[in-house]
Amino acid sequence: MRKSKLCMLTLGLLACVLMATAVQARTWYVPSQVESVGKALAMASSGDVIEIAVGVHKIDGYGHKLTPGITIRSDTGMPGGVVLQESSSQIGRWRDGPVFMLDPTLSPTNAVVIENITFKNFTDTFGPNAYGAEPIFNILGGQLTMTNCQFDTYYGTALKFDGGSGDFTNCSFLRGNANPVALLFAGDKLTLTDCNFTENSYKHSEVWPGLKATRKTGSIIKLVSGELLCDCSNFVENGPLTYLLDVG
C-alpha cells in the first residue's frame, strides 16, 4: 500500500514538473510585444517561439545567441513576408563577427528551427574582417533546421558549421559573394532538400584602396567534414566560381 502511494506521489510530482515546463514556454511577438528581433533572442528560452510580423526588420551588431530549442518564424506561416536586414555598417562600428551564434553547451541540445524568413543585404565590407568574410550564422554544435528561408544579396559566407548538423528544405541562396559563399561545413550531417543556389560568385574586388583579395578560387559549398545529402537542389547561373562543391 505504501509503495502504491509512493508511486502515485512520484507520478503526481512528474506531472507537475511537465505542466510547469509547458507553462514556461511562450511566444514573443515582434514588434507588437518586443520591439526587435535582437531583444527577443536575448529573452527567449528553450521551447519558446519568436513570431515576427510581416515587414522589414533591422538587426544590429553581432553575436546574437540562438538558444537551442527556440523557433523563429513568420506570423503568417508563409515565406517571403518577413525580411531581416543587417543595419548599415559604419566606419568605427563595423561587424567583427557572425551575426547569429548557436552554442549548444549553453543550454539543452534541442534544434533551433527557423521558418519563412528572408535574410537580405547582410554585409561586412567595412572593417578588419572584410576579406575573411565573417559568416551570418556560426553554428558551434547542435542542430539548425531551416524551412522556406532565403539569403539574398550578402557578402560573407551565409552559414558556417564548426560542428553539429544542418537541415535545409526549400531554402534559397541568391547573389552571395564570398569563399565559400553559402555553406562552410565541418559538422556531422548536412541535408539539402529542394534548395536553390543562384547568381553566387567570388569576385576579386577592391574594398580598400591598394588592397586586393588574393584567393583565386571560390566555391558555393565547402565540405570540410561530415556527410552531405543533397536532394532535388539546383545550382543555376553561378560564377565566377571554381567549384560548386569543394570537399576537404
Side-chain angles (χ1 to χ4, degrees), residues 211-245:
L211 297 176
K212 290 185 178 181
T214 57
R215 295 180 181 177
K216 297 182 180 179
T217 61
S219 57
I220 294 177
I221 301 171
K222 184 173 178 62
L223 187 68
V224 178
S225 63
E227 179 184 6
L228 171 64
L229 299 178
C230 187
D231 185 22
C232 299
S233 293
N234 299 310
F235 297 81
V236 182
E237 297 180 0
N238 297 287
L241 285 160
T242 306
Y243 309 106
L244 297 181
L245 170 64

Side-chain angles (χ1 to χ4, degrees), residues 33-65:
Q33 181 187 31
V34 185
E35 64 179 306
S36 70
V37 175
K39 288 186 176 181
L41 288 172
M43 292 187 290
S45 301
S46 183
D48 287 359
V49 173
I50 297 174
E51 193 165 283
I52 308 173
V54 168
V56 178
H57 301 263
K58 298 285 188 177
I59 189 160
D60 192 17
Y62 59 92
H64 295 282
K65 292 181 174 60

Side-chain angles (χ1 to χ4, degrees), residues 66-68 101-110 139-143 163-164:
L66 300 173
T67 301
M101 291 190 67
L102 172 55
D103 184 354
T105 63
L106 301 177
S107 56
T109 56
N110 298 322
I139 294 87
L140 303 181
Q143 171 81 25

Side-chain angles (χ1 to χ4, degrees), residues 1-2 10 21 60 65 71 77 79 88 92 117 128 146 195 210 241-242:
M1 192 61 153
R2 290 181 178 177
T10 302
T21 302
D60 192 17
K65 292 181 174 60
T71 296
S88 300
I117 306 294
M146 283 190 168
C195 292
L241 285 160
T242 306

Side-chain angles (χ1 to χ4, degrees), residues 114-186:
I114 303 178
E115 301 172 336
N116 307 311
I117 306 294
T118 294
F119 301 87
K120 189 169 184 177
N121 295 333
F122 278 76
T123 177
D124 88 358
T125 54
F126 293 103
N129 289 311
Y131 300 107
E134 286 288 335
I136 301 171
F137 284 82
N138 188 18
I139 294 87
L140 303 181
Q143 171 81 25
L144 175 66
T145 298
M146 283 190 168
T147 304
N148 296 328
C149 291
Q150 186 176 99
F151 293 85
D152 186 354
T153 313
Y154 58 96
Y155 182 88
T157 300
L159 298 113
K160 178 186 178 187
F161 283 79
D162 291 318
S165 298
D167 191 338
F168 299 85
T169 301
N170 197 30
C171 292
S172 296
F173 298 82
L174 313 174
R175 293 173 286 276
N177 178 22
N179 181 32
V181 181
L183 291 150
L184 174 57
F185 192 81

